[in-house]
């Protein structure tokens, strides 16, 4: 088990010989290993080319692109509304927040106003999405460490309850295609709020069980504390966002910074880490789930009646005036933004996605240098990636 004390620092790396086995010196060769692209621990179709000295990482090159689907060019050849279901396929764990970020950008471009009830529905579905994403991440992280299936099954048990709510609301468990420009596709079905309150009120019990099982677990702590450290300066300079940034001690949450939607109405805190290691990234997500429960309880209590879509929004013949807009939200993995340029036609002239998974992966080598190869899998798991949005 590696710790920060026995890790090789980046300053020491140039002193290490980068000879290959073909150099002819017995025992002096380095091992080049390709992790992935089809390996359970790569969290998608993703490859890491690693150079090892024994089991110590000297170099790491992330290899992307296996899941490229031409998402942005398709968006430029599709109507604005026609692109909404494509956004579901970006971070396929979090389709509702993908929908919201895209709808938000189009609404800024077209000057649409979202009714009060629709704003509450968006917050509720977004925070439910954050709960199921973070719970799944914690379960996968323990699985990456070699734990039995218990933590992951605990997490997926809770995720299934939330997906049941999504299915009854949108007709789909994962590819929800629910947001619309200026509001939402349909209103809440009868009894949905009561079912959601029950799930939300019971969620802290799951968190209590999960934390009691894991937070002070000796194996978890030794495998995560001091491993994969990201400094505050590196996180800021590399444009890292979301739980990874906050685990490095940077108090930055777009819900607090931009107050998009109606987030300024809710009382919640922004959890921060002290060391920026894997343990802090795990704990920040656990604490964020508790804050999401607080937001959900307030939103479920205060949601008003009323329309769910701006009457000025058009489904047919939608042509925003010429201009540009960037809409961003605090998605579960970090800042998710859409940049759109309109030339007045039915399709965007330019359609660009700012995906948190891709940006957060850019410092993977910095986190892994000097660590053990077994820790690389855990460090990658703590980033929380979905290759659908990284490759697009």
């Amino acid at each position: 088990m590696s710790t920060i004390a026995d890790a090789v620092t980046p300053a020491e790396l140039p002193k290490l010989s980068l000879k290959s086995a073909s150099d002819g010196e017995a025992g002096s060769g380095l091992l080049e290993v390709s992790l992935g692209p089809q390996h359970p621990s790569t969290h998608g179709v993703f490859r890491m080319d690693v150079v090892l000295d024994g089991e110590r990482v000297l170099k790491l090159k992330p290899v992307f692109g296996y899941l490229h689907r031409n998402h942005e060019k398709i968006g430029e050849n599709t109507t604005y509304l026609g692109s909404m279901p494509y956004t579901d396929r970006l971070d396929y764990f979090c389709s509702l927040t993908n929908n919201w970020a895209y709808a938000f950008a189009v609404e800024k471009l077209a000057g649409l106003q979202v009714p009060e009830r629709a704003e509450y529905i968006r917050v509720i579905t977004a925070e439910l999405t954050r709960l199921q994403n973070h719970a799944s991440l914690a379960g996968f992280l323990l699985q990456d460490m070699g734990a039995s299936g218990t933590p992951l099954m605990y997490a997926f048990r809770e995720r299934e309850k939330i997906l049941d709510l999504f299915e009854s609301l949108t007709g789909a468990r994962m590819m929800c295609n629910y947001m619309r420009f200026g509001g939402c596709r349909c209103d809440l079905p009868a009894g949905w709020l009561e079912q959601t309150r029950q799930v939300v009120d019971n969620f802290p019990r799951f968190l209590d069980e999960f934390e009691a099982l894991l937070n002070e677990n000796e194996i978890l702590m030794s495998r995560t504390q001091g491993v994969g450290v990201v400094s505050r300066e590196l996180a800021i300079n590399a444009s890292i966002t979301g739980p990874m940034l906050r685990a490095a001690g940077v108090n930055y949450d777009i819900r607090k910074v931009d107050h998009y939607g109606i987030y300024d109405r809710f009382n919640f805190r922004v959890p921060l880490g002290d060391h920026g290691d894997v343990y802090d990234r795990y704990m920040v997500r656990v604490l964020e789930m508790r804050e999401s429960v607080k937001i959900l309880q307030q939103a479920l209590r205060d949601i008003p009646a009323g329309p769910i879509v701006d009457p000025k929004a058009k489904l047919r013949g939608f042509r925003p005036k010429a201009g540009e807009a960037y809409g961003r939200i605090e998605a579960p993995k970090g800042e998710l933004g859409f940049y759109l340029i309109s030339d007045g036609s039915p399709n965007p002239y330019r359609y660009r996605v700012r995906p948190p998974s891709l940006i957060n992966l850019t410092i993977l080598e910095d986190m892994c240098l000097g660590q053990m190869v077994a820790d690389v899998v855990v460090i990658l798991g703590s980033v929380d990636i979905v290759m659908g949005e990284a490759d697009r």
Side-chain angles (χ1 to χ4, degrees):
M1 299 176 189
S2 70
T3 65
I4 196 64
D6 62 9
V8 178
T9 65
E12 295 176 289
L13 290 175
K15 303 175 186 177
L16 297 172
S17 172
L18 292 179
K19 297 177 181 178
S20 67
S22 61
D23 290 338
E25 294 184 27
S28 65
L30 302 178
L31 182 64
E32 297 183 14
V33 179
S34 181
L35 301 178
Q38 301 193 39
H39 190 282
S41 68
T42 56
H43 292 259
V45 193
F46 171 63
R47 190 172 103 227
M48 296 175 283
D49 289 341
V50 185
V51 176
L52 302 174
D53 181 11
E55 294 190 31
R56 189 81 62 188
V57 176
L58 299 186
K59 295 172 65 178
L60 186 147
K61 178 185 176 183
V63 182
F64 305 89
Y66 293 99
L67 208 57
H68 179 59
R69 304 184 311 287
N70 213 26
H71 179 99
E72 293 173 358
K73 186 53 68 176
I74 290 173
E76 293 167 11
N77 290 276
T78 306
T79 63
Y80 285 89
L81 184 59
S83 289
M84 184 63 77
Y86 284 106
T87 65
D88 290 345
R89 275 75 177 170
L90 290 169
D91 180 356
Y92 38 79
F93 263 72
C94 305
S95 67
L96 285 163
T97 47
N98 299 343
N99 289 175
W100 190 0
Y102 176 56
F104 187 38
V106 175
E107 287 156 4
K108 292 178 73 173
L109 193 63
L112 297 174
Q113 299 297 318
V114 181
E116 188 97 344
R117 182 173 176 84
E119 291 281 24
Y120 274 89
I121 294 173
R122 288 182 173 188
V123 168
I124 291 168
T125 55
E127 295 308 316
L128 287 172
T129 299
R130 201 178 315 277
L131 288 181
Q132 61 92 14
N133 179 86
H134 286 358
S136 300
L137 179 278
F140 284 131
L141 185 63
L142 271 294
Q143 192 89 337
D144 289 340
M145 292 180 204
S148 67
T150 302
L152 183 61
M153 291 300 102
Y154 272 33
F156 266 53
R157 178 191 64 191
E158 302 306 311
R159 179 173 181 259
E160 285 299 302
K161 298 174 185 176
I162 293 173
L163 295 189
D164 286 343
L165 294 174
F166 290 167
E167 183 178 18
S168 64
L169 173 60
T170 71
R173 299 174 67 78
M174 293 182 67
M175 309 303 170
C176 296
N177 185 22
Y178 177 66
M179 304 297 178
R180 291 295 180 266
F181 310 139
C184 303
R185 172 161 53 88
C186 58
D187 205 348
L188 304 177
W192 193 87
L193 285 176
E194 289 69 27
Q195 295 170 14
T196 304
R197 287 191 186 97
Q198 184 175 358
V199 171
V200 171
D201 289 343
N202 289 333
F203 203 86
R205 178 182 175 183
F206 155 70
L207 291 176
D208 292 341
E209 293 175 348
F210 208 74
E211 290 195 72
L213 180 68
L214 297 172
N215 281 9
E216 297 182 8
N217 181 281
E218 183 178 354
I219 297 175
L220 172 70
M221 295 172 70
S222 64
R223 290 295 307 277
T224 59
Q225 290 185 335
V227 173
V229 174
V230 176
S231 68
R232 176 188 177 93
E233 294 73 20
L234 175 60
I236 293 171
N237 291 337
S239 299
I240 304 305
T241 56
M244 277 192 66
L245 177 68
R246 294 187 285 275
V250 181
N251 188 358
Y252 188 84
D253 187 312
I254 298 173
R255 294 172 295 177
K256 291 283 192 181
V257 173
D258 288 359
H259 298 297
Y260 66 90
I262 52 171
Y263 272 108
D264 57 337
R265 303 184 187 182
F266 303 114
N267 179 30
F268 66 100
R269 299 179 302 168
V270 178
L272 301 176
D274 294 323
H275 308 100
D277 55 12
V278 172
Y279 188 81
D280 277 0
R281 291 194 280 277
Y282 158 76
M283 279 304 305
V284 161
R285 290 180 173 99
V286 171
L287 295 174
E288 282 190 4
M289 285 190 278
R290 293 195 179 276
E291 298 305 312
S292 289
V293 168
K294 292 181 185 177
I295 295 172
L296 283 163
Q297 289 171 338
Q298 295 170 70
L300 291 167
R301 180 194 65 205
D302 298 337
I303 183 170
I308 54 143
V309 70
D310 186 342
K312 295 185 296 182
K314 298 180 180 179
L315 293 181
R316 296 180 180 273
F318 184 74
R319 295 170 178 256
K321 63 182 181 180
E324 61 181 336
Y326 179 68
R328 65 175 189 169
I329 69 167
E330 184 66 41
K333 294 173 174 63
E335 178 181 336
L336 173 61
F338 285 79
Y339 173 65
L340 301 171
I341 298 178
S342 170
D343 58 3
S345 68
N347 304 345
Y349 173 77
R350 184 71 176 97
Y351 176 110
R352 177 82 171 109
V353 184
R354 193 271 186 206
S357 287
L358 175 63
I359 307 299
N360 292 348
L361 269 175
T362 58
I363 61 169
L364 182 60
E365 183 179 43
D366 299 272
M367 293 190 285
C368 293
L369 288 180
Q371 302 288 343
M372 305 295 282
V373 66
D375 293 330
V376 170
V377 172
V378 179
I379 293 169
L380 174 65
S382 73
V383 177
D384 191 10
I385 63 168
V386 162
M387 296 310 296
E389 70 173 14
D391 289 343
R392 302 185 305 293

